Amino acid sequence: MLNWVERRTGFVGMTKDFLTEDVPGGASYWYVFGSATLFAMIVQIVTGIFLTFFYAPSAMTAWESTKYIYAHPFQHTVLSIHYWGASAMIALVFLHLLQVVIWGAYKSPREIQWIVGVLLLLTTMVLGLTGYLLPWDMDAYFASQVAINLTLNVPFIGGWIQQFVQDGTTMGTLTINRFFGLHVWLMPAVLVALVGAHLTIFRWNGPAGPPVEDPRPLRKGRFWPDQLFMDTVASLLVLIGVLALATFWPPFLDAKADPTVQFTPYPAWYFLDLFGLLNLVPGNLEILGAIIIPGFATTVLLLLPWIDRSTTRVLGSRKFILWVLGGSLAIIWWLTIWSQLSIMGKQAATPAAAPPAAAAKTPAKTSAAMSPAAKAGQAVYSQNCSSCHGATGTGTPPNFPPLAGNAFVTGDPNQVVLTVLNGKTGAIAVNGQSYNGQMPAWKSSLSNSDIANVVTYIRSALGPNRAGAVTTADVAKLKK
């Protein structure tokens, strides 16, 4: 039978060559990161396919279908494995790249193999980002809203990117479907293609081996059975770790997304350093933390094989690269810890939302008393503005000023419209308190009608504000 298959496919010979190839330096647990990452990817694909049988991607059903999964032990376990498997995969890809940098295995002739590896890390992080929104709970909604709005900082095409990922002027069913399509179809296809390319190039170049001056004295070892056994042990440990985390620390499902409630989101751990960087830079320099620094770091990673001019992979000849690596890791850890503490402080300072019964007793201007334009503006505000300025317009110190009771908001309507159109940067003072955030320009992502309605709402119906309305024609005159 095997001979029959071999004559028609060559699979048997290819498998034999693969299993009997030499491993430079012999079998080692240093070589298990790639296979463990591949195993984690397979776990993610299998559990992800299973979860699509129960998940319904729409604003009316996403949270409800996720809650259904939580209510059934087996489905909940699969979801927990998928949740923790994502973290495991991102961590393993990072560790694999870290080992490659330390060993200098990105040097000739493995430059393209390294670039594909960096793209794999970016792809897994995009998968984590797009999957974060799908439960459609409070944390998923507000964390994703922050990420979507950050795309407005991209020069020239920021508005287009924001429109593409959000699929409209507000977050809703179309946004969930866009993220679902990216998470379930496009990005997995990109991931599988990159993994295939990475493995093909690896088979062509062969393993790099330890970073020694002369590899000839290194002892040889076979992939089968020694290295395959070590790869299996590592994959089994990954599975045990993911199962333990899924059993004892399953993911938490927050309340259903409600953009009218003030909420401080908590990002995924692998984005904490980026959130820390964003909180560290001044509000008028948000583009520095959102685009320039991450873009520069990514470019350096991609060009590392050409930046490192050393002639060998020996550690002693690459001291500068290793020092930069150590400093970068220290900065990442510091930003992660600082961001964690900062978010915890903000969450503790955020006032808890009043229960429905209490909220019903609170006097407020009801939607019935609003003009049609203000009602429409309330929806625009809830989707685009409330995560920063608060559901009731109270603001979020020290970055986002209050809009309710703000003399600027109820003053010259043209200045308010211009601020919404073109954004606002730099330090300002409102009611005796300083704020230093950055408001993006909304002229490319909101229609003239949306801008007119939201300005009308914040001027005439938000908190104590009772100023005049703004029309679409007013906005069109000021828009440039």
Side-chain angles (χ1 to χ4, degrees):
M1 175 61 74
L2 291 179
N3 290 333
W4 185 87
V5 173
E6 171 65 13
R7 287 196 300 270
R8 287 158 177 80
T9 65
F11 286 165
V12 177
M14 286 187 290
T15 303
K16 183 178 178 180
D17 292 340
F18 172 70
L19 292 176
T20 58
E21 74 173 353
D22 290 329
V23 178
S28 171
Y29 281 102
W30 282 110
Y31 299 145
V32 302
F33 293 110
S35 57
T37 303
L38 182 62
F39 173 76
M41 184 191 76
I42 295 172
V43 169
Q44 289 305 96
I45 292 175
V46 172
T47 55
I49 291 174
F50 180 83
L51 290 173
T52 61
F53 298 156
F54 303 93
Y55 180 76
S58 78
M60 297 298 294
T61 58
W63 185 84
E64 286 76 7
S65 59
T66 304
K67 187 178 180 182
Y68 172 86
I69 293 173
Y70 272 70
H72 294 77
F74 181 72
Q75 289 91 321
H76 188 199
T77 299
V78 174
L79 184 144
S80 298
I81 293 172
H82 191 74
Y83 174 86
W84 285 110
S87 291
M89 185 174 175
I90 291 174
L92 286 168
V93 174
F94 179 81
L95 290 173
H96 189 32
L97 288 178
L98 181 63
Q99 181 206 10
V100 171
V101 175
I102 294 175
W103 281 24
Y106 50 79
K107 299 182 73 65
S108 177
R110 298 177 176 83
E111 299 95 335
I112 297 179
Q113 186 175 333
W114 164 257
I115 291 175
V116 173
V118 174
L119 294 178
L120 274 170
L121 176 62
L122 298 176
T123 302
T124 55
M125 296 185 74
V126 172
L127 277 164
L129 177 66
T130 53
Y132 206 75
L133 174 70
L134 300 184
W136 199 242
D137 62 0
M138 294 290 287
D139 191 54
Y141 179 92
F142 284 97
S144 299
Q145 187 178 64
V146 172
I148 290 173
N149 288 340
L150 285 176
T151 61
L152 292 170
N153 289 287
V154 179
F156 307 114
I157 60 172
W160 180 87
I161 296 175
Q162 195 256 8
Q163 286 289 307
F164 174 78
V165 296
Q166 188 166 280
D167 204 3
T169 58
T170 59
M171 290 177 62
T173 294
L174 294 178
T175 312
I176 296 175
N177 275 275
R178 183 57 54 88
F179 273 62
F180 183 76
L182 290 170
H183 186 73
V184 174
W185 296 110
L186 180 59
M187 299 316 300
V190 172
L191 180 71
V192 171
L194 289 173
V195 168
H198 192 71
L199 292 176
T200 301
I201 299 171
F202 172 78
R203 296 296 303 157
W204 174 262
N205 290 326
V212 295
E213 185 72 39
D214 185 2
R216 288 176 297 179
L218 291 175
R219 65 184 180 89
K220 299 292 184 181
R222 291 292 177 89
F223 182 80
W224 167 269
D226 296 337
Q227 188 59 52
L228 184 60
F229 172 78
M230 293 181 180
D231 290 347
T232 304
V233 170
S235 298
L236 181 61
L237 290 176
V238 170
L239 179 61
I240 292 173
V242 169
L243 288 174
L245 291 168
T247 301
F248 297 107
W249 292 279
F252 174 74
L253 181 65
D254 215 321
K256 186 175 181 178
D258 182 0
T260 66
V261 176
Q262 188 171 352
F263 186 86
T264 301
Y266 185 86
W269 63 268
Y270 39 86
F271 288 120
L272 279 172
D273 56 342
L274 178 59
F275 271 66
L277 181 61
L278 289 170
N279 287 328
L280 193 63
V281 299
N284 59 333
L285 296 177
E286 187 179 57
I287 189 174
L288 189 65
I291 305 298
I292 296 177
I293 294 178
F296 175 77
T298 302
T299 302
V300 169
L301 278 178
L302 291 170
L303 298 179
L304 184 59
W306 295 274
I307 294 174
D308 182 1
R309 307 303 297 173
S310 59
T311 57
T312 69
R313 296 193 295 116
V314 178
L315 300 181
S317 67
R318 297 184 299 110
K319 291 181 180 179
F320 175 75
I321 295 295
L322 296 178
W323 275 109
V324 171
L325 173 64
S328 300
L329 291 176
I331 292 173
I332 290 173
W333 276 110
W334 181 83
L335 284 173
T336 298
I337 295 173
W338 185 81
S339 179
Q340 164 82 15
L341 297 176
S342 174
I343 292 172
M344 290 174 62
K346 289 181 180 179
Q347 289 177 332
T350 301
K361 298 176 182 178
T362 302
K365 183 164 182 167
T366 64
S367 58
M370 293 185 196
S371 66
K375 288 181 184 178
Q378 184 179 32
V380 178
Y381 179 88
S382 297
Q383 296 286 347
N384 298 279
C385 314
S386 61
S387 62
C388 294
H389 295 287
T392 58
T394 55
T396 309
N399 295 320
F400 307 107
L403 301 179
N406 186 328
F408 174 82
V409 172
T410 55
D412 185 353
N414 290 340
Q415 293 301 315
V416 179
V417 172
L418 286 171
T419 300
V420 176
L421 284 171
N422 303 317
K424 179 74 173 179
T425 61
I428 61 173
V430 177
N431 299 333
Q433 184 168 354
S434 297
Y435 297 86
N436 194 21
Q438 179 178 15
M439 177 179 173
W442 290 98
K443 60 184 176 183
S444 60
S445 54
L446 292 179
S447 66
N448 291 354
S449 176
D450 286 336
I451 293 175
N453 291 337
V454 74
V455 172
T456 296
Y457 169 69
I458 64 174
R459 281 173 53 82
S460 65
L462 185 62
N465 297 351
R466 296 296 182 266
V470 171
T471 66
T472 303
D474 296 331
V475 176
K477 290 178 183 178
L478 295 170
K479 192 172 185 179
K480 297 179 181 179

